[in-house]
Amino acid sequence: MTSPQPSDLSAHIARGLSDLADFVAIESVSAQGRMLPEAAAYVTRLLEAEGFVVREYPGTVAPVLVAEAGSGPTTLLIYNHYDVQPEDPTELWDSPPFVLTEKDGRLYARGVSDDKGEIISRLAAVRAVRERHGGQLPLRVRWLLEGEEEVGSPSLEAFVETHADELRADGCWWEFGSITPEGRPVASLGLKGVMCVELRCRVAESDLHSSLGAVIDNPLYRLARAVASLRDDTGRVTIPGFHDTVRDPSPADLAAIATIPGDGQAVRDTYGVTRPLATGPDYFQRSNLLPVVNVNGWSGGYQGEGSKTVLPAHGSVKLDFRLVPDQDPEQILALLRAHLDTQGLSDVEVVELESHQKPARADAGHPFVVACLEAAREAHGLEPIIHPSSAASGPMSPFNEFLGVPCVAMGIGNLGGRIHAPNENIMRVHFEKGVAFGVALLERLGRGL
């Protein structure tokens, strides 16, 4: 069978958009513990209606769902999350954040891209394939959905390890993806790891008059010294030993990067970037394959209007490290501590803020990866763009480590999708193409790898 195009899937797309409107109305904000059981119950109803057996397990913050349906020569694992980011600041939304609103071919709502639109487009594809096969799926589909991704997936690693037999598969369709303005699907074969820390420094029990700066050190200056010591002007991390375990790129990695069009200009234009660290051929090699440290925020001292001549008693800086295979977050944390001590900054405290995530990357030549790329060509009619790794992070590593499955991220996001920000959106045509890709992938895997 050939993959139907969106015009052949109109009924399933319309049903999917109706489901999506109901789904985004459930304010499943994990950071605030809002409506998470309600979202899990809604997903359960949708899946059970399509023949899935759904098992619910307790999580640290929200229920974890494992669903299974179908049988055949291949087992596909799908990973998604039903929680969303807070909608604040609401005054910057052009439409109500929890009401699906269409304007000029875009659909707006919190979670419409990350990750509810992805879930619903995939479910619409399942419906279409079941319809073509007399109500059955020609492959086994196992679907893992959590409600804690937006707060760091604190339950997921242990859950995947404990339930490995329940989740085994030939490959995993990851929770996100994007389509370029030209309509080319983008496949990411991995994710960077992430470690978030806070550097803290205190020099006194209370703030002091700034005249005492001649005789008492300043915690913000010490933090500035610490931060300045972490990277050079090119953005390369300067912690001794930091790069020692970085995996060399494979020939397939380098070949894929060489075919990625552009040099990041679209990102620079979209966000008004004035100080890029990389352009030209280095842009995608750095974003895919190199680790980085980022300063997320700085606090301490007087932040109000006008001046206040004060010597702060304490201050802090929030950082994140984006890591690549085979860097281990715990080792990087130890290297950071040793580096600061060597710099004479032993009084700067290092606190890990949340559970870290390890990096992960699939082999570009794996049969499951090849099948995903072939399905993308079939559904989109254009050559997919392959990123060996997304520049972003997520809980992919346990799927590699405990299940041994390659993960491929392909989905319906877009460059101006504003995920995590006001006016989050997807393009309607991308939702339609996402359904077509899901049909092509399920049909292809139903014939075996």
Side-chain angles (χ1 to χ4, degrees):
M1 293 184 178
T2 58
S3 175
Q5 291 304 298
S7 59
D8 304 316
L9 296 168
S10 57
H12 296 290
I13 290 167
R15 166 70 186 279
L17 292 174
S18 176
D19 290 342
L20 184 57
D22 293 338
F23 199 8
V24 299
I26 301 173
E27 302 176 13
S28 49
V29 180
S30 52
Q32 300 167 355
R34 287 159 52 191
M35 301 187 74
L36 298 170
E38 293 88 341
Y42 181 74
V43 172
T44 297
R45 289 196 300 273
L46 289 179
L47 291 171
E48 288 180 340
E50 300 308 321
F52 283 86
V53 175
V54 183
R55 295 176 291 278
E56 180 177 315
Y57 300 92
T60 304
V61 177
V64 180
L65 306 177
V66 177
E68 184 170 326
S71 62
T74 309
T75 299
L76 171 66
L77 177 64
I78 306 176
Y79 165 73
N80 286 102
H81 65 90
Y82 59 82
D83 62 321
V84 301
Q85 284 280 320
E87 68 275 24
D88 302 291
T90 55
E91 66 272 13
L92 297 183
W93 284 82
D94 294 331
S95 56
F98 295 104
V99 176
L100 188 66
T101 304
E102 184 169 4
K103 182 179 180 181
D104 298 329
R106 290 183 183 266
L107 300 162
Y108 295 86
R110 172 56 85 230
V112 71
S113 179
D114 184 19
D115 191 40
K116 293 178 177 180
E118 300 283 9
I119 294 171
I120 296 299
S121 65
R122 296 173 185 195
L123 185 62
V126 166
R127 287 196 189 102
V129 172
R130 288 185 71 226
E131 181 182 75
R132 302 177 89 198
H133 292 268
Q136 303 298 318
L137 286 173
L139 74 164
R140 179 179 286 108
V141 175
R142 290 172 167 164
W143 207 328
L144 171 60
L145 302 104
E146 63 157 326
E148 305 177 354
E149 196 271 347
E150 300 293 6
V151 290
S153 299
S155 305
L156 191 63
E157 181 172 0
F159 184 88
V160 172
E161 182 178 14
T162 302
H163 295 267
D165 290 340
E166 194 177 348
L167 298 171
R168 299 216 183 273
D170 295 293
C172 178
W173 184 7
W174 200 249
E175 51 107 355
F176 72 88
S178 65
I179 300 170
T180 71
E182 298 76 29
R184 293 180 65 182
V186 179
S188 295
L189 310 186
L191 292 173
K192 288 184 176 180
V194 64
M195 182 182 71
C196 298
V197 301
E198 186 170 277
L199 306 184
R200 300 172 182 171
C201 185
R202 176 178 287 276
V203 301
E205 293 182 357
S206 68
D207 290 353
L208 303 163
H209 193 283
S210 67
S211 65
L212 292 171
V215 292
I216 298 174
D217 208 345
N218 189 308
L220 302 187
Y221 176 77
R222 296 192 65 73
L223 291 169
R225 276 190 57 202
V227 170
S229 75
L230 299 181
R231 48 158 273 191
D232 62 21
D233 288 344
T234 72
R236 181 178 174 82
V237 178
T238 52
I239 299 171
F242 182 84
H243 295 89
D244 287 357
T245 59
V246 170
R247 182 188 303 174
D248 290 334
S250 69
D253 292 336
L254 296 176
I257 288 172
T259 64
I260 300 174
D263 65 352
Q265 188 63 48
V267 172
R268 296 191 291 276
D269 289 345
T270 298
Y271 295 100
V273 174
T274 59
R275 288 191 59 82
L277 286 173
T279 58
D282 288 342
Y283 181 85
F284 290 110
Q285 184 158 345
R286 290 180 61 148
S287 64
N288 277 260
L289 304 178
L290 294 185
V292 66
V293 61
N294 299 295
V295 179
N296 305 137
W298 204 301
S299 65
Y302 180 65
Q303 304 288 341
E305 294 184 11
S307 65
K308 181 181 181 182
T309 53
V310 63
L311 174 63
H314 60 87
S316 63
V317 182
K318 295 183 186 295
L319 309 172
D320 75 67
F321 289 83
R322 301 284 172 165
L323 308 175
V324 300
D326 294 303
Q327 291 180 303
D328 181 84
E330 292 183 4
Q331 182 186 26
I332 297 303
L333 190 64
L335 290 173
L336 172 62
R337 177 70 272 167
H339 168 69
L340 293 176
D341 292 347
T342 301
Q343 297 292 311
L345 297 166
S346 59
D347 60 318
V348 174
E349 184 183 7
V350 179
V351 179
E352 189 171 6
L353 295 180
E354 57 192 36
S355 298
H356 55 248
Q357 293 173 344
K358 296 178 181 179
R361 191 182 302 160
D363 176 1
H366 191 283
F368 175 72
V369 175
V370 172
C372 290
L373 298 177
E374 289 175 346
R377 294 184 186 99
E378 183 178 335
H380 293 268
L382 295 169
E383 188 66 20
I385 297 169
I386 305 168
H387 287 262
S389 176
S390 168
S393 304
M396 186 182 285
S397 176
F399 293 76
N400 289 176
E401 182 177 355
F402 301 122
L403 306 180
V405 297
C407 299
V408 177
M410 298 196 77
I412 61 173
N414 68 92
L415 182 63
R418 298 184 181 273
I419 61 172
H420 294 199
N423 298 318
E424 179 180 348
N425 69 86
I426 57 174
M427 297 183 68
R428 183 188 179 107
V429 67
H430 290 173
F431 182 88
E432 296 170 354
K433 283 292 187 180
V435 177
F437 168 74
V439 171
L441 179 61
L442 295 173
E443 292 281 12
R444 187 168 292 275
L445 294 178
R447 299 191 291 270
L449 287 175

